[in-house]
Amino acid sequence: MNRNWIHVVLAAALGLMLAGCGKTIEEQITEGVASAATTFESKAPAPTTEVGKIKVYLPPAYHVEEGANEMNYIFTKGRDSFILFVNTIEAEDSRLYYDNLINDTSLNIIEKETFEFKEAFGFTAVIEHSEKEYELIVSSGGVKMTTIAEDKKIDEKLTEMMEVVRSVQVQK
């Protein structure tokens, strides 16, 4: 009986070690882009805070600071920083941020996907800066959020960023 318990404990420890290895960068990016698409096409989360001239949803553990002006805001989660750009002139179906992205030939875009839903246009993109550093971008109409991420939790960040972007309501 004791030998069986030892096998159970060893099997559980091995399982935890393998699970701790995590997903590859490619898996994180693929899952993150797919999840961002689902989030884009879902009902936008209700705003939970007001800052400057916007109301916005803050995912758990996120904090927001008023930016330099009413078009730029800084969000933080732990040691991660995110920049939210709000262009009030652009419509829900604006492709401005996407067109600027794909026209910049200096970028190493490793993944991008566009979304269209109920007269809104959005996209997500991942740009490789180095072997372990990636720029994550999500956008919906005239709202865009970016961050620089290491090779961890890219999938979670893309989803949370899309939740934030989709929730933005500009106050008049």
Side-chain angles (χ1 to χ4, degrees), residues 60-114:
Y62 275 66
H63 303 282
V64 65
E65 304 170 16
E66 194 162 347
N69 57 50
E70 59 195 42
M71 294 179 68
N72 301 298
Y73 301 89
I74 298 171
F75 288 66
T76 58
K77 179 181 180 184
R79 294 185 314 165
D80 294 323
S81 294
F82 305 81
I83 300 174
L84 179 73
F85 303 94
V86 181
N87 186 337
T88 57
I89 298 171
E90 296 299 317
E92 283 282 318
D93 63 350
S94 173
R95 298 175 66 95
L96 175 70
Y97 291 131
Y98 181 73
D99 291 341
N100 288 342
L101 175 79
I102 61 171
N103 288 326
D104 187 343
T105 57
S106 69
L107 300 175
N108 183 17
I109 302 170
I110 58 173
E111 184 75 36
K112 69 180 183 311
E113 187 168 332
T114 61

Side-chain angles (χ1 to χ4, degrees), residues 156-169:
E156 293 174 23
K157 290 175 184 173
L158 286 170
T159 302
E160 291 170 346
M161 291 166 64
M162 187 60 81
E163 289 173 338
V164 170
V165 165
R166 292 291 289 155
S167 75
V168 171
Q169 296 176 359

